[in-house]
Amino acid sequence: MKTLLFILSILGVSVPSLAQDFNKQLNTARTAYSANKLDESRFAMQQALQELDIMAGKEVLKMLPLKLESLNSNTTNDNVSGASGFAGIVIHREYGSGEKTAAVDIIGNSPLMSSINAILALPFVANNGNQKVIKLEGYKALLQKNTDSETNKTSYEIQLPLNSSLLTLKAENATEDEIKKFASSIPVAQLVKTLQ
């Protein structure tokens, strides 16, 4: 526990943009730990780690393209949140407006990772009329086609495991070629390095 507190204190000093909330939680954890209030210390440490997740998410948002082909990003709707416990960080960006839209979501420690990885490991299961395995910058991803039974409009979704995170790209009223072009503008290799 002391080693973890030491490491987090170094991070608190070396990353100035985290300073206020991170250092506040770190100080609370130290004080509670010194008073042998381990439950309070643990809670404060979890809050500090959540702050680190949010900082990392903001860095990931900077890496996402501002444009997917002709669709401009709606950066006012960008969202980064920490979901300690259930999943890690949740990162969201939207593109386009009206009928033609797209969205990128990245979820750390996604509960869907095991099922997506299982499908990607057995491509004969994935390759059917509505889904298939594709590659993005050398990484396997699952491409799924969805057709609304009422409106007959088609949307596509690409799910790409990135270490322990899952990147999902959804495109409404798009073609398979369009979503592949959208996906090709996402810096997959750079995201993999950052999300390690």
Side-chain angles (χ1 to χ4, degrees), residues 28-55:
T28 301
R30 280 187 188 141
T31 303
Y33 182 77
S34 297
N36 204 25
K37 297 178 181 177
L38 301 181
D39 218 26
E40 287 179 31
S41 180
R42 173 182 280 221
F43 179 75
M45 292 294 285
Q46 287 172 335
Q47 295 300 311
L49 291 172
Q50 188 171 351
E51 291 297 324
L52 284 174
D53 282 345
I54 291 171
M55 272 300 299

Side-chain angles (χ1 to χ4, degrees), residues 107-183:
I107 301 174
N109 299 320
S110 172
L112 295 174
M113 287 295 288
S114 58
S115 60
I116 297 295
N117 281 326
I119 292 171
L120 292 174
L122 303 168
F124 63 87
V125 173
N127 292 326
N128 62 47
N130 291 326
Q131 63 184 21
K132 64 182 170 181
V133 176
I134 62 170
K135 282 202 171 189
L136 298 172
E137 291 186 31
Y139 295 91
K140 286 183 182 180
L142 182 64
L143 172 68
Q144 297 181 39
K145 176 182 177 181
N146 302 303
T147 305
D148 188 309
S149 60
E150 292 178 20
T151 64
N152 212 27
K153 291 184 179 180
T154 303
S155 64
Y156 283 88
E157 180 176 284
I158 293 176
Q159 293 178 308
L160 172 67
L162 304 171
N163 295 325
S164 64
S165 298
L166 180 66
L167 182 145
T168 302
L169 170 62
K170 294 179 184 177
E172 299 293 328
N173 296 318
T175 65
E176 182 176 328
D177 287 338
E178 285 177 316
I179 195 166
K180 285 180 178 178
K181 285 179 184 175
F182 295 166

Side-chain angles (χ1 to χ4, degrees), residues 10-26:
I10 289 172
L11 284 172
V13 171
S14 64
V15 183
S17 57
L18 285 178
Q20 291 178 351
D21 290 337
F22 180 81
N23 284 331
K24 177 183 170 192
Q25 295 299 334
L26 190 58

